[in-house]
Amino acid sequence: MVRGRFDDSEACYVISVAAQMVGVRAQTLRYYERIGIIEPSRSQGRNRLYSQRDVEKLRYVKSLTEDLGVNLAGAEVILRLIEKMAEMQTRIEQMEAELEKREEGGI
Amino acid sequence: MVRGRFDDSEACYVISVAAQMVGVRAQTLRYYERIGIIEPSRSQGRNRLYSQRDVEKLRYVKSLTEDLGVNLAGAEVILRLIEKMAEMQTRIEQMEAELEKREEGGI
DNA sequence: TTGCTCCTCACGTCACGTGAGGTGGC
DNA sequence: TTGCTCCTCACGTCACGTGAGGTGGC
């Protein structure tokens, strides 16, 4: 599916659906919002709406807490670090391509 | 101070000193060892000996737990990520230097 | 009415120290 | 003897859900 930059058709899920996708209870998602882990949008300011991106973030948080025993404060720090590492990885790949290009030109 | 690769004069601290340097109780360090956070060497298999590196690791763990509320499982994951990021940063700097060198040569 | 949503309150469990209490070697 | 070390046991506190219980809109 092709999506425009401001395409409102981006998939969104109510709490019960999001909870099932992630594999947690709806109450847990409300708790996560209360302590600031995730901030879903709301339909007319009432029902929570979780984006695809929200769901992926929640899945990652779940794997950190359940598989590794990390608490939620730790999960937030780790999410930020992972994001930063992805940026660094992109930078490395760009530079590698640049060096390779010059290598070819030099020969 | 210059240290050889196998220099035994590397500074080491008994538990009370290490605890004071880090700002925690000795019991806490014993607890950290029990759950696998840190593995100090032992003097003749008896008293724990903390290296400078151990102390620095413990200080970092303390800042994560006290300042950010991260638990010990999270601190271990974060320590590994930070180490990996430092490697990536080194790689980026090497490549930047390389590109700059070629830039100069090219003009 | 049914099945969702919203909310708050109260509870259980466990991680994380921390004190107590007794031991042994320099 | 003093002051450290070692160890184990038991406790307090808090993070993290989770169930209960009552509300309101499609």
Side-chain angles (χ1 to χ4, degrees), chain A residues 7-86:
Chain A
D7 188 348
D8 279 342
S9 73
E10 165 114 27
C12 271
Y13 313 100
V14 294
I15 197 165
S16 59
V17 176
Q20 193 177 21
M21 289 170 79
V22 176
V24 299
R25 314 262 166 163
Q27 281 291 41
T28 301
L29 296 188
R30 293 191 187 101
Y31 174 68
Y32 281 8
E33 185 179 6
R34 182 147 52 88
I35 63 170
I37 291 287
I38 194 103
E39 288 177 27
S41 57
R42 299 262 181 163
S43 65
Q44 292 136 19
R46 186 174 151 73
N47 289 12
R48 293 170 181 82
L49 289 177
Y50 295 85
S51 69
Q52 190 63 42
R53 195 177 159 77
D54 288 338
V55 169
E56 273 149 30
K57 180 175 172 182
L58 288 165
R59 280 183 176 142
Y60 195 74
V61 169
K62 191 197 176 194
S63 79
L64 285 172
T65 54
E66 290 198 357
D67 302 343
L68 299 177
V70 173
N71 69 356
L72 298 172
E76 287 199 288
V77 173
I78 290 165
L79 278 165
R80 282 205 302 278
L81 289 179
I82 293 285
E83 209 165 306
K84 179 137 188 171
M85 281 175 78

Side-chain angles (χ1 to χ4, degrees), chain B residues 11-29:
Chain B
C12 271
Y13 312 101
V14 294
I15 198 165
S16 59
V17 176
Q20 192 176 21
M21 288 171 79
V22 176
V24 299
R25 313 264 168 162
Q27 281 291 39
T28 303
L29 296 188

Side-chain angles (χ1 to χ4, degrees), chain B residues 29 32-42 48-51 54 57-58 76:
Chain B
L29 296 188
Y32 282 9
E33 184 179 4
R34 181 147 51 89
I35 63 169
I37 291 287
I38 194 102
E39 289 177 27
S41 57
R42 299 263 180 161
R48 291 170 181 84
L49 290 177
Y50 295 85
S51 69
D54 287 338
K57 180 175 173 182
L58 288 166
E76 287 199 288

